[in-house]
């Protein structure tokens, strides 16, 4: 059970887009203007990067792995918290120093003045999910290459920066909530749901390209369709509502792992649990509860209370015993008392959550919570974070111990000198723990095998191939 400090900045370096393109046989090397690309931030930002790269490759631009080889560099920034802003500004500065011609896009792009104050020489700045505007800026500063559509082929699923066997499926943009610690709505706007048929078409294309695990993401996944009043769309000639449950039902017919992230705890989330128990979608819920104190949740403008949440978690597990619950929390929110922090620790003990991330409150520029009284001193924030992690660490270790002796299907992500590394249904890539199959070298990324768990720590588990898998190797 992974217990780690929450890190929103998961950087995709310049080498990864190039490696992805080279591994994709359909994308022949382009003859034309050369672009370097750096993607910062969360998976939602990664999907934006994939869309920009897909359009640029469609037009014949080449993507190169170094600043020196590039005629222009695009930096897709994150601006979620101060550390992400700092990383984004540092990356822009590095690109300017090493190359000199830089276009900035992404969440931090809404703060044009702040970027230009530090880096006045950037060529252009655009905001988040501004795909067409980014491409237009590239056209302005780097002439379109001569493009041969028969040579510069792009696969139906577009350019993906994830391994071939899994992909992020973004179902909406923006968010209607106004959590006082968050500035995402000011960056990405209100909720805009993608048409349900379009989402399902993309899922089908990904499946045809070899993807066998979909990670469904958005700013608020369970709000899907609220903005269009759950309008009925069509897919394969059949009516489908623009609603989370009906979307999950259709995705569940594709015979893929479907994993839900960023699920706001609306009442209708209860209706997804039977789908999980039936094996239609993975029994995995990523729900950011944020806190347990009713007063702190009100200050955050978040719903719920510890007692009701515990009741729901118990009911979910009764309906689906294999359910894995991941969540994130904030400690040191303005006004948080020692008693309220203790209430959060008590909640952890009762909820027994499987996956937990935590970060201290960060006074992000523009967040309404910054104006709340009684800010918590930094040393107390850090002390509370350490205590939180210690409590959850013991919970995580104990829950992982319960897996020892059981068999699980493992999807392989990588193989190195120590053996294969993969994940069970309980493990999302990047944010959760992994399964180590030491000494197993014959497998390839994307393959699935059954393994018995023989050891666990706070984060990861170790396994050996099941007898059936071993027998299949000998025959």
């Amino acid at each position: 059970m992974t217990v780690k400090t929450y890190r929103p900045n998961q950087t995709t370096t310049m080498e990864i887009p190039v490696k992805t393109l080279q591994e994709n046989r359909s994308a022949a090397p382009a003859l034309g203007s050369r672009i370097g690309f750096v993607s910062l931030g969360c998976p939602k930002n990664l999907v934006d990067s994939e869309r920009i790269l897909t359009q640029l490759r469609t037009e014949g631009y080449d993507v190169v792995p170094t600043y020196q080889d590039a005629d222009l560099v695009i930096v897709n920034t994150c601006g979620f918290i101060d550390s992400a802003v700092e990383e984004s500004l540092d990356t822009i500065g590095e690109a300017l120093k090493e190359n000199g011609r830089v276009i900035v896009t992404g969440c931090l792009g809404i703060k044009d003045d702040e970027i230009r104050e530090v880096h006045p020489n950037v060529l252009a700045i655009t905001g988040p999910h501004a795909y067409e505007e980014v491409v237009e800026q590239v056209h302005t500063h780097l002439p379109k290459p001569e493009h041969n559509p028969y040579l510069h082929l792009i696969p139906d699923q577009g350019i993906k920066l994830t391994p071939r066997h899994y992909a992020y499926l973004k179902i909406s943009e923006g968010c209607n909530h106004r959590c006082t610690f968050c500035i995402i709505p000011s960056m990405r706007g209100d909720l805009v749901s993608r048409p349900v048929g379009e989402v399902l078409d993309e899922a089908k294309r990904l499946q045809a390209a070899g993807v066998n695990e979909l990670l469904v993401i958005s700013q608020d996944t369970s709000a899907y369709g609220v903005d269009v009043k759950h309008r009925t769309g069509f897919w394969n000639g059949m009516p489908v509502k623009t609603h989370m449950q009906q979307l999950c039902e259709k995705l569940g017919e594709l015979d893929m792992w479907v994993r839900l992230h960023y699920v706001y705890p609306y009442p209708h989330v209860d209706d997804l649990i039977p789908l999980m128990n039936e094996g239609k979608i993975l029994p995995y819920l990523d729900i950011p509860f944020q806190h347990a104190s009713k007063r702190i949740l009100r200050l955050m403008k978040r719903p719920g209370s510890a007692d009701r949440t515990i009741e729901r978690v118990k009911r979910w597990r009764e309906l689906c015993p294999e359910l894995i619950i991941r969540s994130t929390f904030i400690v040191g929110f303005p006004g948080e008392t020692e008693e309220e922090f203790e209430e959060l620790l008590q909640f952890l003990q009762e909820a027994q959550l499987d996956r937990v991330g935590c970060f201290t409150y960060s006074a992000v520029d523009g967040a309404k919570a910054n104006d709340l009284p009684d800010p918590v001193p930094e040393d107390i924030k850090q002390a509370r974070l350490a205590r939180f992690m210690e409590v959850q660490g013991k919970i995580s270790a104990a829950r992982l111990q319960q897996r020892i002796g059981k068999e699980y299907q493992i999807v392989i992500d990588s193989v190195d000198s120590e053996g294969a590394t993969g994940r069970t249904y309980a493990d999302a890539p990047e944010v959760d723990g992994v399964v180590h199959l030491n000494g197993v070298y014959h497998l390839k990324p994307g393959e699935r095998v059954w393994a018995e768990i023989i050891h666990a720590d706070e984060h990861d588990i170790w396994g050996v191939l099941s007898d059936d898998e071993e027998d299949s190797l000998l025959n």
Side-chain angles (χ1 to χ4, degrees):
M1 307 304 169
T2 303
V3 186
K4 58 173 71 173
T5 303
Y6 178 73
R7 291 186 70 251
N9 51 317
Q10 296 173 349
T11 303
T12 298
T13 61
M14 292 174 69
E15 291 85 356
I16 292 178
V18 177
K19 181 180 178 182
T20 303
L21 290 167
Q22 289 174 342
E23 290 175 350
N24 188 332
R25 295 180 180 177
S26 297
L31 300 174
S33 301
R34 302 166 301 175
I35 292 174
F37 203 105
V38 181
S39 182
L40 307 173
C42 66
K44 296 177 283 292
N45 224 34
L46 186 71
V47 172
D48 293 346
S49 297
E50 291 173 340
R51 292 180 179 177
I52 295 169
L53 283 167
T54 296
Q55 182 59 39
L56 292 173
R57 285 291 290 140
T58 299
E59 296 182 0
Y61 288 95
D62 197 6
V63 182
V64 295
T66 67
Y67 291 120
Q68 290 71 29
D69 291 333
D71 298 308
L72 180 151
V73 176
I74 299 173
V75 179
N76 192 5
T77 60
C78 178
F80 180 59
I81 58 176
D82 288 347
S83 60
V85 172
E86 183 179 350
E87 182 189 27
S88 293
L89 291 173
D90 288 347
T91 302
I92 295 167
E94 178 182 88
L96 284 169
K97 178 182 177 181
E98 298 295 330
N99 182 277
R101 292 167 55 79
V102 178
I103 291 176
V104 176
T105 188
C107 289
L108 190 60
I110 66 165
K111 299 181 179 181
D112 187 297
D113 293 342
E114 182 176 331
I115 294 172
R116 291 195 181 278
E117 182 178 351
V118 180
H119 301 301
N121 296 324
V122 295
L123 297 176
I125 300 173
T126 73
H129 56 87
Y131 319 120
E132 294 180 0
E133 191 176 349
V134 174
V135 174
E136 288 174 2
Q137 290 297 334
V138 172
H139 294 164
T140 299
H141 298 283
L142 202 61
K144 293 176 70 172
E146 182 177 346
H147 176 46
N148 185 331
Y150 298 102
L151 293 178
H152 308 149
L153 299 176
I154 300 296
D156 289 343
Q157 76 276 11
I159 302 302
K160 292 296 174 185
L161 300 179
T162 50
R164 185 171 181 265
H165 57 284
Y166 69 81
Y168 293 102
L169 181 67
K170 185 157 67 169
I171 63 175
S172 65
E173 292 285 359
C175 181
N176 287 342
H177 296 290
R178 297 297 182 263
C179 301
T180 59
F181 56 83
C182 181
I183 59 173
I184 292 297
S186 66
M187 292 179 170
R188 291 185 171 262
D190 290 337
L191 176 72
V192 179
S193 299
R194 295 177 61 194
V196 65
E198 179 183 302
V199 173
L200 291 168
D201 281 342
E202 181 179 353
K204 194 68 176 176
R205 289 195 301 271
L206 290 169
Q207 182 185 43
V211 170
N212 55 31
E213 179 179 1
L214 293 174
L215 297 99
V216 180
I217 60 170
S218 65
Q219 300 299 330
D220 179 4
T221 297
S222 43
Y224 178 65
V226 168
D227 55 314
V228 295
K229 299 181 180 179
H230 302 303
R231 178 173 59 211
T232 297
F234 288 87
W235 186 62
N236 285 348
M238 300 294 292
V240 185
K241 280 191 175 182
T242 311
H243 188 279
M244 185 184 186
Q245 182 179 351
Q246 289 208 15
L247 174 64
C248 288
E249 288 173 353
K250 291 300 180 183
L251 291 174
E253 295 174 3
L254 298 180
D255 192 27
M256 306 168 72
W257 278 9
V258 177
R259 191 183 300 278
L260 303 181
H261 286 276
Y262 315 121
V263 177
Y264 208 85
Y266 295 127
H268 68 254
V269 172
D270 295 354
D271 298 330
L272 300 177
I273 307 303
L275 294 178
M276 297 179 176
N277 193 50
E278 294 166 9
K280 301 291 181 60
I281 60 177
L282 290 183
Y284 181 103
L285 270 180
D286 175 5
I287 300 185
F289 292 124
Q290 305 298 8
H291 212 279
S293 162
K294 186 177 293 187
R295 189 183 77 90
I296 294 297
L297 287 169
R298 281 200 300 265
L299 291 175
M300 291 178 169
K301 289 197 173 179
R302 299 283 295 186
S305 68
D307 291 342
R308 289 202 301 273
T309 299
I310 292 294
E311 289 176 4
R312 290 184 79 188
V313 168
K314 288 181 178 178
R315 187 165 64 251
W316 292 342
R317 285 175 171 157
E318 288 172 357
L319 293 171
C320 182
E322 299 301 314
L323 178 65
I324 297 295
I325 302 176
R326 144 170 279 281
S327 190
T328 52
F329 295 87
I330 298 173
V331 297
F333 190 80
E336 180 190 61
T337 65
E338 177 63 23
E339 290 75 18
E340 288 165 333
F341 175 69
E342 289 287 348
E343 187 178 348
L344 175 56
L345 296 184
Q346 181 61 34
F347 172 83
L348 292 180
Q349 296 283 11
E350 293 186 37
Q352 294 286 300
L353 302 177
D354 300 277
R355 309 291 193 193
V356 172
C358 184
F359 57 97
T360 59
Y361 175 75
S362 175
V364 181
D365 185 28
K368 293 186 180 299
N370 298 342
D371 299 327
L372 294 173
D374 304 318
V376 178
E378 189 62 33
D379 60 335
I380 294 179
K381 289 183 189 177
Q382 296 300 326
R384 288 178 181 173
L385 175 62
R387 290 163 60 193
F388 179 103
M389 302 295 277
E390 181 179 5
V391 169
Q392 182 59 37
K394 293 177 181 178
I395 294 170
S396 295
R399 292 191 68 81
L400 278 179
Q401 288 292 319
Q402 295 174 13
R403 297 201 201 172
I404 294 176
K406 298 180 180 179
E407 290 191 358
Y408 293 89
Q409 188 179 48
I410 314 295
V411 59
I412 303 302
D413 286 331
S414 63
V415 180
D416 58 22
S417 60
E418 294 186 1
T421 300
R423 295 173 291 109
T424 71
Y425 79 90
D427 313 307
E430 302 292 341
V431 294
D432 292 333
V434 297
V435 183
H436 300 282
L437 300 175
N438 292 345
V440 177
Y441 303 104
H442 66 279
L443 301 174
K444 296 180 180 179
E447 285 191 69
R448 294 187 186 180
V449 294
W450 285 88
E452 179 184 345
I453 306 307
I454 59 171
H455 177 69
D457 62 16
E458 289 185 7
H459 307 283
D460 300 335
I461 54 181
W462 281 256
V464 294
L465 294 180
S466 67
D467 292 340
D468 289 343
E469 293 288 350
E470 293 285 5
D471 290 344
S472 69
L473 292 178
L474 297 175
N475 295 330

